[in-house]
Amino acid sequence: MSPIESSAPQSDTTQVAEHLAKVSLASVDSNDLLHEEVLSYPAPASALRHRVICIAIDGTDLADYALEYALQNVVSPPTPSGMKDEIVLLIIAGDIGIPLSPTHQDREAQERLEEASKLQSHEILRAAGRKVLERLPGSVLCRAIALRGDPREEIAEKVKELGADLLVVGSHGRGLVGRMFLGSVSDALVRTCDVPVLVARKVK
């Protein structure tokens, strides 16, 4: 199947462009939240959703392939009544795997690393969100959410909470902000998710 050819009206394209200009400036002040929404276009309450398609990313080439595959082969054009697929990008933030030290200095260093990891995950989400909205202006809705914790549990729980119709994941990726696409994680999501899981494996 070929990529969606967007034929969005000029007003929709302008609205998307204006929103994209704000994406890189967006900030999230929610250090205690497990789920941080980095991008939402348009506001979910005002949206007419057709399907909810979750795509797990981590900044690796294999995750980028999973996103590209979904854009080309999974996302549908708007329905005649104007309903659009909603793409929800998910990432695990702060998964550095460094044990906390009892010393004050080491705790401060850990906090700095976790904050840097969180900011990096937000940037990856924003970049992916920009790609979605630039590729399909006016044709899709898009949200981007940073999660914390075990990716096998958090992704499955968020997919259920969102009432998703499909989860798209990559396989055997290893990013700096989350080890999300190792085979064991993809396999676990296939087994535990309440919705169909599409594992996009890049052919070498």
Side-chain angles (χ1 to χ4, degrees):
M1 183 182 299
S2 61
I4 296 174
E5 295 294 335
S6 174
S7 57
Q10 183 62 32
S11 58
D12 283 353
T13 303
T14 301
Q15 186 179 14
V16 170
E18 291 175 350
H19 185 81
L20 284 171
K22 302 174 183 178
V23 169
S24 61
L25 302 178
S27 61
V28 177
D29 184 14
S30 51
N31 292 329
D32 296 329
L33 297 181
L34 292 178
H35 297 172
E36 302 169 319
E37 187 148 359
V38 176
L39 169 67
S40 179
Y41 175 83
S46 66
L48 294 174
R49 290 188 291 272
H50 179 212
R51 299 180 302 167
V52 177
I53 301 169
C54 292
I55 306 174
I57 63 175
D58 71 348
T60 64
D61 290 341
L62 292 170
D64 291 343
Y65 174 79
L67 174 59
E68 183 66 26
Y69 183 91
L71 294 181
Q72 293 194 34
N73 299 287
V74 178
V75 179
S76 299
T79 67
S81 62
M83 297 182 72
K84 304 173 183 179
D85 283 347
E86 179 177 69
I87 297 175
V88 183
L89 304 168
L90 302 174
I91 197 169
I92 295 291
D95 181 21
I96 300 176
I98 301 175
L100 274 175
S101 168
T103 69
H104 179 69
Q105 287 185 337
D106 286 345
R107 284 182 179 274
E108 287 185 342
Q110 173 75 13
E111 290 174 358
R112 288 196 298 270
L113 286 171
E114 289 181 347
E115 181 65 16
S117 178
K118 183 180 79 170
L119 293 175
Q120 184 182 17
S121 71
H122 289 181
E123 286 305 311
I124 291 172
L125 283 175
R126 293 190 185 104
R130 290 181 65 90
K131 178 179 181 177
V132 170
L133 294 177
E134 288 172 348
R135 281 280 301 278
L136 306 174
S139 297
V140 295
L141 313 174
C142 185
R143 298 172 67 184
I145 304 173
L147 311 175
R148 287 178 179 270
D150 186 325
R152 293 165 293 189
E153 297 176 0
E154 293 301 321
I155 293 174
E157 182 63 28
K158 195 63 179 180
V159 165
K160 180 178 180 180
E161 177 188 323
L162 293 168
D165 297 282
L166 178 70
L167 170 64
V168 180
V169 298
S171 181
H172 298 287
R174 185 184 291 271
L176 293 176
V177 298
R179 294 179 293 279
M180 293 174 56
F181 300 115
L182 294 176
S184 60
V185 175
S186 297
D187 292 343
L189 290 170
V190 169
R191 293 194 307 270
T192 61
C193 276
D194 295 331
V195 304
V197 179
L198 189 159
V199 181
R201 291 187 174 91
K202 189 174 183 179
V203 178
K204 294 182 180 181

